[in-house]
Amino acid sequence: MTESSTKTSERVSKWLSNFFNPMNSLVIYFVLFSIKNLGLKEAFQNFLPIFFLIIAPISGWIFWKVKSGEFSDTDVSDRHQRKNLYFFIAGAIIIYLMYVFFRFERVDWVLFFLLILLIILQISNYFIKSSMHTALNVFVAALMFTLDPLLGAGWIIITAAVAVSRVVLKRHTWAEVISGAVIATAISFIYLYVQIQLT
């Protein structure tokens, strides 16, 4: 591989990795879900708590940790630094789930299974640094599948590209990418089964 093609590969990988980071991929799903299933007012009412209770706090916390030097990068590539990240994300999701449950008397199954996925990734982090980019995009592919099977299949292709990008950028090894994919696939199948039972 020439130096030029290596640089192009790294540039494409960086774009894929940044654009389809876990937060962005989940936001894309929530937007598409809202367009398909909700009116404009209902979409805002659905998305605003997610933004203020999950997205904004997590994004702000990561940015602050990187700026203060506690995290080496926004991907939180260091396995030991990830322990704090998982706990913070889980806390934000639990607060959101409690808000939805007490405010609307329902369970947000998407965020509930996302929480389970993150807990299992946290446990796996003690043994191997499973790829969050890969895991979360596998889960998003399952979510997309509930909107449209073709959309789900397309997102699997995106996920495969993101997984390769993580290896190209040396953020993860193949074992770490595969570990993230296997964990998320198991959780995704359980989520889809629960969705079928609920509908």
Side-chain angles (χ1 to χ4, degrees), residues 1-11:
M1 193 180 269
T2 66
E3 189 180 332
S4 173
S5 61
T6 301
K7 284 184 178 177
T8 301
S9 171
E10 286 177 357
R11 273 198 304 271

Side-chain angles (χ1 to χ4, degrees), residues 81-129:
Q81 294 171 357
R82 283 195 169 200
K83 292 173 187 174
N84 289 338
L85 176 66
Y86 284 120
F87 282 117
F88 189 87
I89 294 172
I93 293 174
I94 288 168
I95 289 168
Y96 169 79
L97 287 170
M98 288 172 63
Y99 165 79
V100 169
F101 184 76
F102 289 112
R103 175 77 174 79
F104 303 107
E105 297 182 349
R106 67 178 176 85
V107 176
D108 187 321
W109 291 107
V110 170
L111 272 297
F112 178 79
F113 276 94
L114 180 60
L115 177 62
I116 291 172
L117 175 57
L118 287 165
I119 289 169
I120 295 172
L121 286 172
Q122 164 73 315
I123 293 166
S124 81
N125 191 57
Y126 288 98
F127 307 98
I128 184 171
K129 188 183 77 173

